[in-house]
Amino acid sequence: MTDSRAAKSMPVQILLVEDNPGDVRLTKEAFKQGRIENELHVVSDGAEALEYLYQRSEYADAPRPDLILLDLNLPRTDGTEVLEELKNDAELHSIPVIVLTSSRAEEDIATSYELHANAYLTKPVDPDEFIETVRTFEKFWFSVVRLPSERDQ
């Protein structure tokens, strides 16, 4: 593996921003069965995601994520707003953001890429297909892609 964290046997820090408990459970299951050591942190809405990323309140000691999985359809602050704020922040803009959502709308896809999402994945309805999508994503992002180390960010 070429990722500097993996070379040091440090777990990859993943922030999952997802309000659907079933999708959280499936994502955890897929990562648990995967080969990459990771720590999956979960927040359930966009406002909580921003609190986590800016290390405010209960997230004061939260680790900086190496990667963010972001749903678009979120309560309070939607995923598009989170993505826009994140990519406009000088400290956080380099964190890769993968939109993982049920929306197949062309407008959502175009907007996500305009806001500099690194990828857009549509959640399959079938639970087995959902787990396979997350596993494929994990293999690509943590075995093929080189993520920036903390000192590079």
Side-chain angles (χ1 to χ4, degrees):
M1 228 190 285
T2 58
D3 179 50
S4 60
R5 283 185 165 276
K8 297 175 191 167
S9 296
M10 293 176 66
V12 175
Q13 302 292 326
I14 302 168
L15 176 62
L16 173 62
V17 186
E18 174 60 66
D19 64 320
N20 181 320
D23 289 349
V24 170
R25 184 181 50 77
L26 288 172
T27 305
K28 285 181 177 180
E29 179 68 23
F31 278 121
K32 187 170 32 172
Q33 294 176 10
R35 297 177 299 138
I36 309 304
E37 186 179 346
N38 65 73
E39 289 185 18
L40 185 64
H41 308 273
V42 181
V43 295
S44 60
D45 65 52
E48 192 178 0
L50 294 172
E51 291 291 302
Y52 183 100
L53 291 164
Y54 289 115
Q55 297 178 311
R56 298 182 195 136
S57 304
E58 66 184 281
Y59 300 109
D61 296 323
R64 177 187 170 101
D66 296 305
L67 189 89
I68 299 168
L69 287 172
L70 178 65
D71 189 11
L72 292 183
N73 305 310
L74 297 167
R76 300 201 297 164
T77 305
D78 74 26
T80 302
E81 293 172 285
V82 172
L83 180 60
E84 184 171 21
E85 185 163 339
L86 178 67
K87 292 302 183 176
N88 284 323
D89 185 282
E91 295 290 318
L92 302 173
H93 76 275
S94 64
I95 300 172
V97 178
I98 312 312
V99 173
L100 180 61
T101 188
S102 56
S103 174
R104 296 181 184 274
E106 288 298 324
E107 181 180 335
D108 288 341
I109 296 167
T111 299
S112 295
Y113 282 117
E114 286 169 11
L115 294 173
H116 305 288
N118 297 83
Y120 190 101
L121 301 174
T122 303
K123 296 177 194 172
V125 175
D126 179 75
D128 292 332
E129 289 179 27
F130 184 98
I131 288 173
E132 186 58 33
T133 297
V134 173
R135 284 190 191 143
T136 301
F137 149 84
E138 177 189 44
K139 182 177 181 184
F140 176 74
W141 279 95
F142 302 125
S143 297
V144 178
V145 172
R146 180 169 166 85
L147 296 173
S149 64
E150 280 199 41
R151 68 170 184 226
D152 295 338
Q153 296 179 8

